[in-house]
Amino acid sequence: MSTPAPRTASVRRATSESTIELELDLDGTGRSTIDTTVPFFDHLLTAFAKHSLTDLTVRATGDTHIDAHHTVEDTAIVLGQAIRQALGDKSGISRYGDALVPLDEALAQAVVDISGRPYLVHSGEPAGYEFHLIGGHFTGSLVRHAFEAIAFHAGLTMHVTLVAGRDPHHIAEAEYKAFARAFRQAKALDPLVAGIPSTKGAL
């Protein structure tokens, strides 16, 4: 029996606003070394790596003296690109995943389809959440914005729903953990799947 090809990727992106270097292994154990210079985003990406069983290394610098937006967005773009690259032709994957994850009073659901068709449906956050500052300078709006960038560049269909929640930190973390658990299921290699799991023959 042949050994499956490594599902790894290394991507670098440099613009006038940020420089991102990212490495990942989809078949890892959840180890991570993350420094985006945006501490709360580091926290979210660490949770993503741990709960998706993806080994992840991120080194990012950017114009955070303006705000965190560019660095978070560009890191999410690169993460999406690396996921797409590491998935290869997607042969043998489960393709679909869903998870319902609590964090104290917060409860989030995520459903992922590694479809090749980028789409994000994101709902349930309380009114005004997008204006909350979390960890000093990470705004609530960046939760959705990062999901949009990941979905688009990885080619994922994602539905992320906040079912309940009050604390802004808990809401963001529950959503990222739910996404991680759903993605973990979707990327998993299924021994019962022969070839690409699509009637079209491509994802």
Side-chain angles (χ1 to χ4, degrees):
M1 181 177 293
S2 62
T3 302
R7 297 196 299 167
T8 60
S10 179
V11 179
R12 185 178 188 274
R13 172 186 167 96
T15 72
S16 61
E17 297 171 341
S18 69
T19 299
I20 318 294
E21 296 177 344
L22 186 149
E23 300 171 4
L24 63 73
D25 181 352
L26 293 181
D27 299 307
T29 61
R31 293 174 300 186
S32 63
T33 302
I34 297 170
D35 182 8
T36 67
T37 70
V38 182
F40 187 68
F41 195 46
D42 292 353
H43 180 59
L44 296 177
L45 291 178
T46 299
F48 167 76
K50 173 66 72 174
H51 294 286
S52 68
L53 297 182
T54 298
D55 290 348
L56 183 62
T57 300
V58 182
R59 294 174 294 274
T61 57
D63 54 4
T64 52
H65 59 285
I66 296 174
D67 70 8
H69 186 100
H70 295 146
T71 301
V72 170
E73 177 182 42
D74 290 352
T75 300
I77 288 171
V78 171
L79 177 57
Q81 291 172 338
I83 288 171
R84 183 189 284 267
Q85 179 179 317
L87 284 167
D89 70 358
K90 304 163 190 168
S91 180
I93 64 168
S94 294
R95 178 175 171 177
Y96 299 103
D98 77 273
L100 192 63
V101 173
L103 199 169
D104 296 349
E105 89 296 343
L107 181 64
Q109 182 180 34
V111 182
V112 170
D113 176 10
I114 301 176
S115 62
R117 297 186 306 278
Y119 206 95
L120 174 69
V121 177
H122 183 250
S123 62
E125 290 178 349
Y129 179 80
E130 64 271 25
F131 303 117
H132 277 285
L133 284 177
I134 311 169
H137 60 301
F138 183 98
T139 57
S141 65
L142 290 175
V143 173
R144 176 181 298 180
H145 194 56
F147 281 150
E148 287 173 336
I150 294 167
F152 183 84
H153 291 276
L156 306 179
T157 297
M158 293 169 48
H159 288 248
V160 180
T161 305
L162 182 72
V163 179
R166 181 187 66 254
D167 181 271
H169 182 139
H170 292 172
I171 289 170
E173 188 171 340
E175 289 182 306
Y176 265 79
K177 287 179 175 178
F179 167 54
R181 293 289 298 195
F183 179 67
R184 172 178 167 178
Q185 292 177 16
K187 73 179 173 82
L189 295 171
D190 186 335
L192 298 179
V193 174
I196 296 168
S198 170
T199 56
K200 294 189 292 291
L203 290 172

